[in-house]
Amino acid sequence: MEVSPECPRRGGGPVLVRRRSPVPLGLRETLKARLWRSCTCSTRGAWAWVQDLLPATRWLRQYRPREALAGDVMSGLVIGIILVPQAIAYSLLAGLQPIYSLYTSFFANLIYFVMGTSRHVSVGIFSLLCLMVGQVVDRELLLAGFGPAQDGPGPAANGSAANASASAAGLGPPDCGQDCYAIRVATALTLVAGIYQVLMGILRLGFVSAYLSQPLLDGFAMGASVTILTSQLRHLLGVQIPRHQGLGMVVSTWLSLLRSIGQANLCDVLTSATCLVVLLAAKELADRCRHRLKVPLPTELLVIVTATLVSHYGQFHERFGSSVAGDIPTGFVAPRVPDPGLMWRVVLDAVPLALVASAFSISLAEMFARSHGYSVRANQELLAVGCCNVLPAFFHCYVTSAALSKTLVKTATGCRTQLSSVVSAAVVLLVLLALAPLFRDLQRCVLACVIVVSLRGALRKVRDVPQLWRLSPADALVWVATAATCVLLSVEAGLLAGLVLSLLSLAGRTQRPRAVLLAQIGDTGFYEDAAEFEGLVPEPGVRVFRFAGPLYYANKDFFLRSLYGLTGLDAGQAAARRKERGPGAGAGEGDAVGGVDLGPAGSSAALMPTEGGFHAVVIDCAPLLFLDAAGVATLQDLRRDYGALDITLLLACCSPLVRNTLRRGGFLGDDLGDAAEEAQLFHSVHGAVQVARARRREAAATDSTL
């Protein structure tokens, strides 16, 4: 839009002259142009493509060691120290040996360093994903004839008896034991999930993660944390119970724990109590003194080292039967292609894994990018996280994503770029090559304590529910329903329930938006809600109606009920009755709308008599986001019914999208020029009211003359 200096002025004001938009290309021409651009190759274009795919090739050339190197090295060392105990601990959740968690942490840090667009996000093992991987691993182990993963009491219990029985029965693979089969299931699941994420990135589906709302993610984290806590209670108490699968896993586990509470290992109980007290006290102290501490205390590492020494010299496994981590080999295992047969078996299980990992990774990357003043690319984040799963799947790794706790630590310790991930990978590599066997006598109850304490942040989110309820009851309902479904049924069902409720909440808000009548603010040209504000001046004979939402097939009936109820006239019925009575009949009292449940729209609207009530209806279309075919048809029918009653229908403040939809839908009639549009569409509510008033005066003058 622009003001033409040579155009005539209407009423002393400038006239808006519409820009003539270029004729859009057809579908064939558009596809041909895009294909030509994508196939055209040059040295500069190829290098730009490489830089987009591998962002490290761009920012490494601009790296400033004097400003960033110290912070990157410090944060990398701290994250590496935190990664080691977490990797060993989270192996319990995934049902895998600790060495595979170390592999995962090593490769994920290196790949995200090259491909990630966030400067601060820490990508690696994540407790929620470990839980979901562990559930799939346990199910496939049981189907293959093995026992539950990692239930043996010590180093020698990782194989022989269960493996021999499964092989003898011909259920499990003949060349693979329980631990071998578990990692095969995990790598197959990881590869499929990574392929999903890479395809989402290639197809530019980064926006899909936006439909996983923050209340949904918070409720999912809460429900999954309760599930994780329940799964670790058997390690805290030192009892041998089966790992339950399927719906109601949390309830079944609690029932099994109550039945087996008398068999608790006293050594594990005392060790768990001591470690929990130390870890929780250290975390609370660190939270209160976080402004004074430049580097967070490596409490988990200190507790694990101390507990390992005490368990080794106290011979807790031999004397008290305490379950320990067992042998952790050094070095790397030869790469292996994931089993295609297992990939087909877990093709559905990988869907929620891919969605959850993508949603958490993109949301964290965008959150820290906003707080530090730079931008990230959601589709490239999908590619980066997907490659963190696809490539390591060949090296005995499992699903990874961004983790909030480690990202916060990276930011607090001065991280500037992803070079810190290389330092963290170097620390993990040192453990892989030399230090891993030293954790042989570490009690599993200590690892369970590390996992439980790491859930503090997610469990504390329950305190946000009252405030969320005051802010948005619909979001609070999504939070509670997601968390409850995760706990009572399963984490997959919780994610699905939360997604469905979020979409229903979104649809519900657009299906019944607020609808009000407007009145003039004094002598100004502005109009507001007559039911909310006092002292407004309604225009005699004109009803100004505002519908604060889109008009489409799902809410067109509510739109009409709201309009009829607030104006006091059912135009459809009145037009039909006038047609039956003849063209000279007027609207009767039976046309008034009464007793209609309008929800929020009609709660405070007073119904007006129809005879001589009004001669024009102006619809404020400023909040009208879009129209579909049903919405255009509704407006056309409404104009026809009002026309039969000698009432004028005018639209004001239509956006360009709504104007184009009305033009293409035939609302302006056969004449598609500006004259037809200016007669029915207006740039302001006040302009439409003035035109309705002027037309009424002209009609009255014509009648008096006749």
Side-chain angles (χ1 to χ4, degrees):
M1 296 287 197
E2 65 180 0
V3 178
S4 175
E6 300 178 356
C7 66
R9 293 176 175 266
R10 181 183 302 170
V15 176
L16 293 175
V17 179
R18 182 179 303 278
R19 292 183 185 273
R20 296 300 179 184
S21 58
V23 179
L25 297 176
L27 179 61
R28 182 178 179 181
E29 288 75 10
T30 302
L31 293 177
K32 185 186 297 184
R34 290 185 178 181
L35 184 62
W36 176 257
R37 286 197 303 268
S38 61
C39 294
T40 302
C41 185
S42 64
T43 304
R44 179 179 297 179
W47 177 238
W49 180 82
V50 171
Q51 288 182 319
D52 289 339
L53 183 63
L54 307 175
T57 58
R58 177 181 290 114
W59 62 261
L60 274 177
R61 295 182 300 165
Q62 305 170 356
Y63 189 76
R64 299 179 180 178
R66 292 184 178 181
E67 299 178 4
L69 185 60
D72 287 341
V73 171
M74 176 60 69
S75 62
L77 288 174
V78 173
I79 292 298
I81 292 173
I82 293 175
L83 272 176
V84 173
Q86 280 194 353
I88 299 174
Y90 287 175
S91 62
L92 292 179
L93 289 175
L96 304 170
Q97 292 300 309
I99 189 66
Y100 302 126
S101 297
L102 295 173
Y103 290 163
T104 303
S105 301
F106 173 75
F107 285 106
N109 276 280
L110 290 182
I111 294 175
Y112 191 80
F113 158 74
V114 177
M115 300 190 65
T117 60
S118 174
R119 304 174 190 172
H120 300 87
V121 161
S122 176
V123 173
I125 52 178
F126 187 31
S127 58
L128 302 185
L129 300 182
C130 290
L131 172 69
M132 299 172 74
V133 171
Q135 291 178 343
V136 178
V137 168
D138 284 344
R139 184 196 68 201
E140 294 300 322
L141 285 177
L142 293 176
L143 292 176
F146 296 107
Q150 289 193 349
D151 275 343
N158 290 331
S160 59
N163 297 346
S165 61
S167 299
L171 299 174
D175 61 336
C176 190
Q178 176 172 333
D179 296 331
C180 170
Y181 193 71
I183 190 59
R184 286 190 183 182
V185 173
T187 55
L189 180 65
T190 301
L191 181 57
V192 177
I195 291 174
Y196 288 157
Q197 292 170 328
V198 170
L199 289 177
M200 289 173 64
I202 294 175
L203 298 176
R204 306 293 181 182
L205 298 179
F207 67 90
V208 173
S209 63
Y211 288 94
L212 300 180
S213 63
Q214 195 60 45
L216 185 155
L217 294 177
D218 290 343
F220 178 77
M222 174 64 188
S225 297
V226 173
T227 305
I228 293 172
L229 175 62
T230 302
S231 68
Q232 296 307 300
L233 287 177
R234 62 195 185 101
H235 297 295
L236 295 176
L237 300 177
V239 296
Q240 299 293 325
I241 61 172
R243 292 183 66 166
H244 296 278
Q245 294 290 316
L247 303 179
M249 184 268 289
V250 173
V251 177
S252 302
T253 303
W254 274 99
L255 294 177
S256 299
L257 285 171
L258 292 177
R259 287 193 294 264
S260 306
I261 193 67
Q263 304 173 7
N265 188 303
L266 184 60
C267 178
D268 286 344
V269 172
L270 294 177
T271 303
S272 300
T274 304
C275 292
L276 285 175
V277 170
V278 172
L279 288 171
L280 290 174
K283 291 293 183 181
E284 290 295 331
L285 182 63
D287 290 342
R288 295 183 180 183
C289 303
R290 62 180 179 272
H291 300 295
R292 301 179 183 177
L293 296 175
K294 295 183 178 179
V295 178
L297 297 175
T299 311
E300 293 91 348
L301 184 63
L302 295 177
V303 168
I304 284 181
V305 171
T306 304
T308 302
L309 293 174
V310 173
S311 175
H312 175 73
Y313 290 105
Q315 299 181 347
F316 286 174
H317 171 60
E318 292 79 6
R319 295 172 58 187
F320 306 109
S322 181
S323 180
V324 295
D327 295 320
I328 304 178
T330 58
F332 290 90
V333 183
R336 181 185 178 91
V337 178
D339 189 343
L342 288 175
M343 291 174 61
W344 281 111
R345 292 177 62 88
V346 299
V347 68
L348 294 180
D349 299 297
V351 174
L353 268 173
L355 288 177
V356 172
S358 302
F360 275 102
S361 299
I362 294 177
S363 61
L364 283 180
E366 292 178 344
M367 179 178 68
F368 282 90
R370 285 193 301 268
S371 62
H372 289 84
Y374 63 94
S375 61
V376 295
R377 291 179 285 134
N379 294 315
Q380 178 62 27
E381 286 296 305
L382 282 175
L383 286 175
V385 177
C387 290
C388 286
N389 291 322
V390 171
L391 301 179
F394 295 88
F395 295 90
H396 309 278
C397 302
Y398 56 92
V399 182
T400 59
S401 74
L404 175 61
S405 59
K406 293 191 286 291
T407 303
L408 290 173
V409 173
K410 286 184 70 171
T411 306
T413 51
C415 172
R416 295 292 187 89
T417 67
Q418 280 298 330
L419 189 64
S420 60
S421 298
V422 179
V423 180
S424 301
V427 175
V428 176
L429 181 63
L430 176 63
V431 176
L432 277 171
L433 297 180
L435 304 181
L438 299 179
F439 297 100
R440 178 182 184 275
D441 292 321
L442 176 61
Q443 293 170 271
R444 287 182 179 168
C445 63
V446 178
L447 299 177
C449 291
V450 173
I451 294 174
V452 170
V453 173
S454 69
L455 303 175
R456 284 189 323 139
L459 294 174
R460 283 180 173 178
K461 291 184 181 295
V462 71
R463 299 184 299 187
D464 299 336
V465 175
Q467 181 181 359
L468 184 61
W469 176 264
R470 291 190 294 269
L471 179 64
S472 174
D475 289 340
L477 178 61
V478 171
W479 194 103
V480 173
T482 304
T485 308
C486 285
V487 173
L488 299 178
L489 297 180
S490 66
V491 290
E492 294 84 1
L495 180 63
L496 179 60
L499 180 59
V500 170
L501 282 178
S502 294
L503 296 178
L504 289 178
S505 172
L506 180 62
R509 294 176 185 180
T510 61
Q511 191 172 358
R512 296 179 64 87
R514 181 175 174 80
V516 296
L517 284 182
L518 306 182
Q520 189 175 7
I521 304 176
D523 295 331
T524 68
F526 302 100
Y527 291 74
E528 264 301 342
D529 183 3
E532 183 176 356
F533 299 97
E534 298 179 355
L536 302 186
V537 183
E539 177 67 24
V542 179
R543 299 292 177 265
V544 183
F545 176 71
R546 174 184 290 168
F547 191 70
L551 179 57
Y552 65 114
Y553 68 95
N555 66 1
K556 59 183 180 63
D557 294 332
F558 179 75
F559 171 84
L560 292 177
R561 292 201 308 270
S562 302
L563 177 60
Y564 293 162
L566 289 169
T567 58
L569 173 66
D570 188 329
Q573 295 183 8
R577 290 171 181 170
R578 171 173 287 195
K579 184 177 181 180
E580 292 177 358
R581 291 194 296 262
E589 295 182 359
D591 302 329
V593 178
V596 180
D597 180 18
L598 298 174
S603 58
S604 57
L607 299 181
M608 299 183 61
T610 59
E611 293 187 16
F614 55 92
H615 58 81
V617 173
V618 176
I619 299 180
D620 181 10
C621 298
L624 209 64
L625 300 179
F626 65 87
L627 290 167
D628 67 352
V632 174
T634 300
L635 291 178
Q636 289 175 331
D637 294 342
L638 187 64
R639 182 178 58 182
R640 181 199 61 207
D641 294 337
Y642 275 141
L645 301 174
D646 299 326
I647 297 175
T648 305
L649 177 65
L650 304 176
L651 306 183
C653 304
C654 296
S655 66
L657 176 63
V658 173
R659 285 175 176 265
N660 292 334
T661 304
L662 293 174
R663 189 180 299 111
R664 293 194 304 266
F667 180 81
L668 302 178
D670 296 333
D671 184 8
L672 300 181
D674 292 339
E677 182 173 328
E678 291 177 0
Q680 302 175 73
L681 309 182
F682 299 86
H683 295 290
S684 68
V685 173
H686 190 56
V689 172
Q690 288 181 321
V691 169
R693 185 192 306 160
R695 291 180 182 177
R696 183 64 174 177
R697 289 174 181 173
E698 292 176 1
T702 303
D703 291 342
S704 62
T705 303
L706 294 176

